[in-house]
Amino acid sequence: MKNTLKKLMPFALTGVISGATVFGASHYFTKENNGEDFEYFTKASKSSAFVGMGSAVGDDFVKASKMTVPAVVTIKNYQDRSAQRMPDQDMFDFFFGNPFGGNQQRQQQPPKNMPSGLGSGVIISPDGYIISNNHVVAGANKLEVVLSNKKSYIATLVGTDPNTDISLLKIEEKGLPYLNFANSDMVEVGQWVLAVGNPLGLNSTVTAGIVSAKGRSIDILSQQSRTPIESFIQTDAAINPGNSGGALVNVNGDLIGINTAIQSKTGYYEGYGFAVPSNLARKIVEDIKKFGLVQRGFLGIGSLDLSNDMQVAAYNQKNKSNLKVGDGVYVTEVTGKSGAEDAGIRTGDIVTKIDGTNIGSFADLSFAIGSRRPGDKVTVTYTRNGKPNTVTVTLKDQKGGTSSRSKEDLTVSEKIGSEFEPLSDRVKTDYGLESGVLAKNVAEGGEMDKIGVVDNFIVMEINGKPVNSQKDVEKILNGYKGNVQVKYVDSYGRITTRGFKMP
């Protein structure tokens, strides 16, 4: 979301005044789970996941609506916007809505008791776990959840994943209505679906449509993540600002997707909405609940989507090659010491299947691999010189590990979302500084990003102590718990002090 508003207009994240994603569980988090994998999926057959045109769809819509609406909540995002206008504030107003009206009031600061934006979420267990979108909760210093019966709670943010735009919240309550997952792999193009959420401030709104496509990538999540996973379910059920985080359900009232984005030139519904498949959302929530962070496996290749004719043409022109448009993912490079290298995959191979499932595009590949954990083994089928080959690949994390990690295993840079480089003498002279480090690889949605630090900002002090290297930062924050104070210099030379709580 660091890009310009003009560039983002074709694809709008349906945000805090913009949410509609629901997410449910047939088995919920309890003490009896003992940290084991959770069995969320209902045992619905393939036929029950699809309702044909000859079914009594009117009755089905009523039943599904009655089941879904009580489990869909409003999420109010409160931010301290009076302290400093966020670098992406115009984007926030566009995606999440301006609760105070049009442009004439944009410069006014919202009252402290008014939310900065509104979105949707879904209760997934009777003890108060709620799923929503990452962009619905982004930047909040307080999150309020309002049930369909108007009862209100202050929520705790359990965790988020910008790669999939999923977040997990918790409220303290028991006996809540909640939704069941359906297996999104069983979803078929043409089947009836309902979108439930709070579009444009209209609480508990239900719209109907069909699944119009599967495996869509619209390159929207790359604005908040360097390694996004996009394999959306596309629907023509009306989705508008306020629907984000709400439910896409089948006619049985089972969750099949988390409504996340729309394709629009205006920021409002123009016929196409996109939802994160429930299978992927389920995995993200399991990881956050069990480990405190998402466990993501990587194949270890650079790739070219052969189904994208524009990408293929650009690649051919740049590399003076003659690749043909078609299905599959062309390997442009192999990362050293990766699972792909260990298995013998080479540059020039074309990945066509993962575990027997056809890979027609990069969206298919990112979903198949991104929904796995480090240490998982996958069967990769690829062609080399026109001949098919099949190998078993052990997935690794970005650091080459094959084990699950908890928050305690993260480095300081991973916890706060930034790396640091020493300042050159020239930069110190230009800014008149005795100390400081350059922020590098600032993670979207990380703690440093939340307080306004971006790449190449200069961090002068942390907790009142001068820093001159990555080691200085690690020495101050390694093992530290509590509030962190950061003094930094922006690109205009302005000095700002802001803080966050150490994750």
Side-chain angles (χ1 to χ4, degrees):
M1 291 180 59
K2 303 294 184 185
N3 301 327
T4 63
L5 181 61
K6 181 178 180 181
K7 189 174 181 179
L8 295 183
M9 284 293 283
F11 299 107
L13 283 172
T14 59
V16 178
I17 235 186
S18 127
T21 293
V22 178
F23 168 141
S26 61
H27 295 267
Y28 45 88
F29 304 121
T30 65
K31 294 180 180 178
E32 287 73 24
N33 287 129
N34 294 322
E36 299 298 325
D37 287 344
F38 310 111
E39 296 296 333
Y40 285 142
F41 291 128
T42 59
K43 301 300 184 181
S45 66
K46 186 170 183 178
S47 60
S48 68
F50 177 79
V51 176
M53 292 295 291
S55 301
V57 292
D59 292 339
D60 289 323
F61 289 172
V62 172
K63 177 183 176 182
S65 298
K66 288 181 177 179
M67 291 177 60
T68 305
V69 167
V72 178
V73 303
T74 298
I75 297 177
K76 297 182 179 181
N77 180 318
Y78 294 86
Q79 299 187 17
D80 183 11
R81 304 206 298 187
S82 61
Q84 174 180 324
R85 187 167 179 85
M86 298 164 56
D88 288 336
Q89 195 60 59
D90 290 334
M91 298 300 166
F92 183 92
D93 290 341
F94 174 69
F95 287 141
F96 299 105
N98 185 343
F100 305 97
N103 295 331
Q104 293 179 350
Q105 293 179 305
R106 176 164 293 190
Q107 299 304 318
Q108 298 181 16
Q109 298 297 337
K112 291 184 178 180
N113 62 342
M114 291 291 290
S116 299
L118 305 172
S120 302
V122 179
I123 304 169
I124 60 171
S125 71
D127 57 346
Y129 282 95
I130 296 168
I131 189 172
S132 186
N133 285 138
N134 174 63
H135 74 266
V136 168
V137 303
N141 53 34
K142 183 175 77 171
L143 292 166
E144 181 183 3
V145 169
V146 183
L147 307 188
S148 62
N149 63 8
K150 308 303 180 185
K151 194 170 182 179
S152 176
Y153 303 81
I154 299 301
T156 299
L157 182 60
V158 181
T160 65
D161 180 37
N163 295 315
T164 55
D165 201 24
I166 295 297
S167 63
L168 181 66
L169 296 78
K170 177 74 164 63
I171 60 175
E172 297 304 318
E173 187 57 278
K174 297 180 180 179
L176 295 169
Y178 65 104
L179 291 184
N180 290 322
F181 276 114
N183 186 342
S184 56
D185 287 346
M186 293 164 57
V187 171
E188 299 188 45
V189 174
Q191 80 173 73
W192 285 102
V193 291
L194 302 180
V196 185
N198 307 295
L200 306 173
L202 302 172
N203 293 340
S204 302
T205 294
V206 180
T207 58
I210 64 169
V211 173
S212 51
K214 293 176 62 180
R216 287 290 198 215
S217 176
I218 57 175
D219 196 29
I220 185 69
L221 298 185
S222 61
Q223 296 150 29
Q224 64 183 32
S225 169
R226 291 184 176 90
T227 55
I229 302 175
E230 290 192 12
S231 186
F232 294 120
I233 297 171
Q234 179 180 313
T235 179
D236 63 357
I239 296 174
N240 271 298
N243 275 121
S244 288
L248 188 70
V249 299
N250 61 22
V251 294
N252 297 318
D254 298 321
L255 179 81
I256 61 171
I258 294 106
N259 296 324
T260 297
I262 58 176
Q263 182 176 3
S264 173
K265 296 179 180 178
T266 65
Y268 297 94
Y269 175 72
E270 291 187 6
Y272 304 101
F274 301 91
V276 177
S278 58
N279 287 12
L280 179 58
R282 167 184 176 264
K283 186 265 181 186
I284 299 302
V285 169
E286 286 179 351
D287 282 356
I288 293 174
K289 182 65 171 61
K290 185 175 180 180
F291 304 104
L293 52 91
V294 176
Q295 311 293 316
R296 183 173 176 187
F298 288 85
L299 188 59
I301 63 171
S303 59
L304 172 68
D305 187 344
L306 293 179
S307 70
N308 188 315
D309 54 353
M310 294 183 65
Q311 288 186 17
V312 172
Y315 183 88
N316 284 337
Q317 182 177 15
K318 179 180 179 180
N319 296 279
K320 295 182 173 56
S321 56
N322 190 33
L323 295 178
K324 304 297 183 182
V325 175
D327 290 338
V329 173
Y330 181 81
V331 178
T332 59
E333 61 178 322
V334 178
T335 304
K337 299 182 180 179
S338 65
E341 183 184 65
D342 293 345
I345 295 175
R346 303 175 189 169
T347 299
D349 293 343
I350 299 175
V351 177
T352 58
K353 292 182 180 181
I354 299 292
D355 286 339
T357 300
N358 290 334
I359 301 299
S361 65
F362 178 75
D364 294 338
L365 181 64
S366 67
F367 178 79
I369 299 299
S371 57
R372 308 298 180 90
R373 299 181 175 96
D376 287 352
K377 297 182 185 297
V378 295
T379 301
V380 178
T381 301
Y382 63 90
T383 60
R384 178 181 296 168
N385 299 322
K387 296 181 179 180
N389 299 273
T390 299
V391 294
T392 298
V393 177
T394 300
L395 303 181
K396 299 182 180 182
D397 61 24
Q398 288 184 298
K399 293 184 175 296
T402 57
S403 301
S404 297
R405 306 172 74 201
S406 67
K407 283 186 176 181
E408 288 70 26
D409 299 320
L410 299 181
T411 64
V412 167
S413 289
E414 288 173 322
K415 288 181 179 179
I416 67 176
S418 179
E419 298 174 353
F420 303 94
E421 294 181 357
L423 292 182
S424 66
D425 291 338
R426 179 175 179 178
V427 171
K428 286 183 179 180
T429 301
D430 289 344
Y431 282 88
L433 300 175
E434 294 295 327
S435 65
V437 289
L438 278 179
K440 291 293 184 180
N441 298 321
V442 177
E444 192 79 28
E447 300 301 332
M448 298 297 284
D449 176 67
K450 290 177 184 177
I451 64 173
V453 175
V454 300
D455 282 2
N456 297 317
F457 276 23
I458 300 171
V459 175
M460 301 168 57
E461 297 178 1
I462 294 179
N463 287 350
K465 299 177 181 179
V467 291
N468 289 288
S469 66
Q470 175 89 24
K471 289 184 178 180
D472 288 345
V473 177
E474 292 174 353
K475 184 177 180 180
I476 295 170
L477 296 181
N478 190 30
Y480 178 81
K481 296 183 179 180
N483 294 329
V484 178
Q485 184 186 74
V486 180
K487 180 184 286 189
Y488 63 86
V489 184
D490 66 18
S491 57
Y492 296 99
R494 297 173 298 194
I495 298 177
T496 301
T497 299
R498 297 193 67 188
F500 56 84
K501 188 174 182 178
M502 191 67 182

